[in-house]
Amino acid sequence: MNSLREMLIYGIGIFVLKGLGFIMMPIVTRMLTQVDYGELNFLVSIASMVSLFLTLGLGDILFRFASGQVKEDNEAVMRQCFRLSLLCAVTFLCLALPFSGLIMSWLPVTLRLFDLQLLLISLSLSSLLTVPYCYFRMTHQAVPFMVFSIAQGSLQTALSIGLLMAGYGVTGMMLSSAISSSVIAIAVLVYFRANLQGRRANFTLDHYRYIGFIVCSGFFVYCLNGAENWLVVIHLGKQQLAIFFAAGQFGLMISVAFEPFRMWWYARRFKIHDTNPDLGAKYAVLGVQIGMLLAGSMLFMAPIMMDIILPESYRESISLIPWICLIMVLRFNSELLNIGCFLKQNARWATIIGGCCALHLLVVGYWAVEAYGLIGLLNTMVLTGLIRYILFYVISQRLVYLSYRKLHLLTSWGIFMILLSVNMSKISGYRVIEFILLAINCLLLLYFYRDLWRGLQFSAWRRYISH
């Protein structure tokens, strides 16, 4: 019951935070030109890449090495992680701001220097939130996480709308991000200050080696989920990047809908594996099946949502949605069925697999987007995702064998592939067929995991909701 309660609270925080971003989407796409929207999204892509180095994988360090039985030792690890986070943020800001003009000259497109500087400030402050937020999740403090998430999203949305209406364009969006990041970072640190007082853990070479592998692995993940924006803007320009990014937002919606499970599971997957590997395998497969159901639902809902959210000039994005959904499904499989690669050999295999797949995407994708445009790039992304999933699954099983319920996985894959084929073929009555397939998928999930919900009583739910 506590797990369901936490997932619901995380869900409220994430849905409000990200939901406000989706509310902004029809406003931003109408108040900015496609070129400006492409520029904004390229700045977002830069932010995603830089944040990987700023956070140093400290959230993974916290979950991996602060999951013991002794509370004082866990808190000592947290304080050392925060110290590294603060040191990295200050160093980054002191180096990046003076050399922001030089950084501008390295970029493949023209940006405003002030916009880039605002982005750097926002990134350095946001990185300070990584350790407190992860500690909230690890210690089951879901309510503070929800409150601060909602506050940040609400403040940034209000500022963005005001500055857009005042005519500040992309600069206004960057300014709202910098201001909201500053306010929330100060508020979180004031609230969290008592936890930062006390003994710090002394990290060994193994800790820093783990950080190195996690950062490299995170960079390679970015290459698989972010670097494609660079390929598009280099070959096709800001306007096509806007079309591609608009379609990608529907993939982000799938990820946001999945986030409550991800946040709950990632904070305790190592601990559950240590105590009950079979239960860990069961939850991992459940997560994959939930993710595939969400991707299938997006296939059904995307045409309706696009009519509401996007202006007519973005209609080209609808043809990209099936590819985006397939990419998300492959991503869920590779992210959740890989625990052995992170448990053994300091996550070395996660880095190796990520590096090989990133190299494949960048090399093949560079050629594909130039020769075949967005469809060529999306085909490359699907192939790369499939390779990554196979490698993670096979190598992880060799390192740490888990008894995954393969029949459950095959069932979800079969339903999703039929749904994808029906959606892309647009056969007569395909909308009805999609709805029936989604209903069957939901019923099968309820049947497969009936032991998780059968014992729940409505009175327990009423007590839970009241609290």
Side-chain angles (χ1 to χ4, degrees):
M1 208 60 198
N2 288 334
S3 297
L4 291 173
R5 180 174 182 271
E6 282 186 51
M7 279 192 273
L8 179 59
I9 295 173
Y10 288 141
I12 293 172
I14 292 298
F15 289 152
V16 172
L17 176 62
K18 299 297 184 180
L20 289 171
F22 295 135
I23 291 173
M24 284 293 296
M25 193 174 174
I27 299 173
V28 174
T29 52
R30 285 165 173 81
M31 297 192 72
L32 296 178
T33 66
Q34 278 193 341
V35 172
D36 284 341
Y37 187 60
E39 180 179 318
L40 174 64
N41 297 323
F42 185 66
L43 285 165
V44 171
S45 185
I46 294 173
S48 299
M49 180 181 67
V50 176
S51 64
L52 294 171
F53 297 97
L54 275 175
T55 57
L56 292 175
L58 293 174
D60 293 279
I61 284 285
L62 199 59
F63 296 147
R64 180 69 181 89
F65 295 103
S67 58
Q69 300 299 319
V70 182
K71 180 182 177 182
E72 290 75 14
D73 291 344
N74 296 340
E75 291 177 344
V77 173
M78 177 272 294
R79 294 186 191 104
Q80 179 67 350
C81 286
F82 182 79
R83 177 175 175 269
L84 291 174
S85 175
L86 180 62
L87 179 64
C88 186
V90 172
T91 303
F92 170 78
L93 202 57
C94 291
L95 291 176
L97 281 181
F99 293 99
S100 54
L102 178 62
I103 296 172
M104 282 276 295
S105 65
W106 296 340
L107 301 177
V109 295
T110 304
L111 302 173
R112 298 176 188 85
L113 180 61
F114 186 52
D115 292 348
L116 181 62
Q117 291 172 336
L118 287 172
L119 177 67
L120 298 176
I121 293 171
S122 177
L123 283 172
S124 61
L125 292 169
S126 295
S127 68
L128 296 178
L129 301 175
T130 301
V131 173
Y133 277 6
C134 288
Y135 191 73
F136 289 153
R137 291 164 56 191
M138 191 181 74
T139 55
H140 312 289
Q141 299 181 61
V143 174
F145 180 93
M146 178 189 71
V147 171
F148 286 120
S149 296
I150 291 175
Q152 183 173 4
S154 302
L155 178 59
Q156 184 170 346
T157 300
L159 289 171
S160 296
I161 293 174
L163 291 169
L164 280 174
M165 294 182 67
Y168 284 93
V170 175
T171 301
M173 298 292 289
M174 292 296 102
L175 188 58
S176 68
S177 177
I179 294 173
S180 60
S181 296
S182 303
V183 172
I184 298 303
I186 293 171
V188 170
L189 294 181
V190 169
Y191 177 86
F192 198 65
R193 65 188 184 281
N195 299 90
L196 300 175
Q197 300 172 9
R199 175 178 66 90
R200 293 196 307 266
N202 293 317
F203 280 5
T204 65
L205 182 61
D206 282 341
H207 289 88
Y208 290 108
R209 187 181 291 119
Y210 193 86
I211 288 176
F213 282 125
I214 290 295
V215 170
C216 290
S217 178
F219 175 72
F220 295 142
V221 168
Y222 169 79
C223 291
L224 298 167
N225 181 30
E228 69 273 7
N229 293 322
W230 293 67
L231 299 177
V232 173
V233 80
I234 289 170
H235 289 295
L236 306 177
K238 296 179 185 178
Q239 190 166 352
Q240 282 295 297
L241 176 60
I243 298 293
F244 180 72
F245 196 87
Q249 292 303 290
F250 290 85
L252 182 60
M253 290 182 195
I254 300 171
S255 184
V256 169
F258 185 72
E259 195 69 12
F261 180 89
R262 181 190 282 120
M263 297 186 72
W264 171 83
W265 174 238
Y266 272 45
R268 54 189 44 76
R269 58 177 178 163
F270 295 116
K271 187 174 183 179
I272 291 178
H273 172 79
D274 291 340
T275 56
N276 190 342
D278 289 338
L279 183 62
K282 179 179 179 178
Y283 278 130
V285 173
L286 171 61
V288 170
Q289 292 186 280
I290 292 173
M292 296 178 78
L293 176 62
L294 293 171
S297 301
M298 182 55 70
L299 277 173
F300 181 77
M301 293 296 298
I304 302 171
M305 297 172 68
M306 278 198 166
D307 288 336
I308 300 171
I309 295 175
L310 295 176
E312 188 66 32
S313 57
Y314 286 84
R315 284 296 176 266
E316 184 183 342
S317 300
I318 189 64
S319 63
L320 309 181
I321 295 299
W323 301 98
I324 297 294
C325 291
L326 178 56
I327 290 166
M328 291 303 300
V329 163
L330 291 168
R331 189 172 300 161
F332 288 137
N333 278 266
S334 59
E335 284 179 358
L336 292 171
L337 306 180
N338 65 4
I339 193 168
C341 293
F342 287 90
L343 274 173
K344 300 295 183 179
Q345 302 181 14
N346 287 319
R348 180 183 290 112
W349 277 106
T351 306
I352 294 172
I353 294 170
C356 292
C357 293
L359 183 63
H360 176 270
L361 177 63
L362 293 175
V363 172
V364 178
Y366 188 89
W367 164 79
V369 72
E370 184 178 22
Y372 300 103
L374 293 179
I375 294 299
L377 176 61
L378 288 166
N379 274 280
T380 306
M381 292 173 68
V382 168
L383 178 59
T384 305
L386 179 60
I387 294 171
R388 182 171 178 251
Y389 167 39
I390 293 172
L391 289 175
F392 261 126
Y393 183 84
V394 171
I395 294 175
S396 180
Q397 287 293 87
R398 286 182 177 274
L399 293 173
V400 178
Y401 180 79
L402 292 174
S403 55
Y404 293 123
R405 300 185 177 186
K406 298 178 180 63
L407 178 61
H408 292 188
L409 283 173
L410 291 173
T411 301
S412 289
W413 265 109
I415 292 175
F416 178 80
M417 293 308 296
I418 296 171
L419 186 63
L420 186 69
S421 301
V422 169
N423 182 275
M424 296 184 75
S425 64
K426 299 291 189 296
I427 62 176
S428 177
Y430 75 97
R431 301 289 290 170
V432 176
I433 297 173
E434 288 177 345
F435 182 80
I436 293 173
L437 287 170
L438 288 172
I440 292 172
N441 201 350
C442 290
L443 292 173
L444 284 173
L445 281 181
L446 289 174
Y447 175 75
F448 286 154
Y449 299 98
R450 57 194 180 279
D451 57 312
L452 297 180
W453 60 266
R454 180 177 285 170
L456 297 180
Q457 302 295 326
F458 287 108
S459 59
W461 277 100
R462 283 196 293 269
R463 287 197 303 271
Y464 159 59
I465 294 172
S466 66
H467 287 83

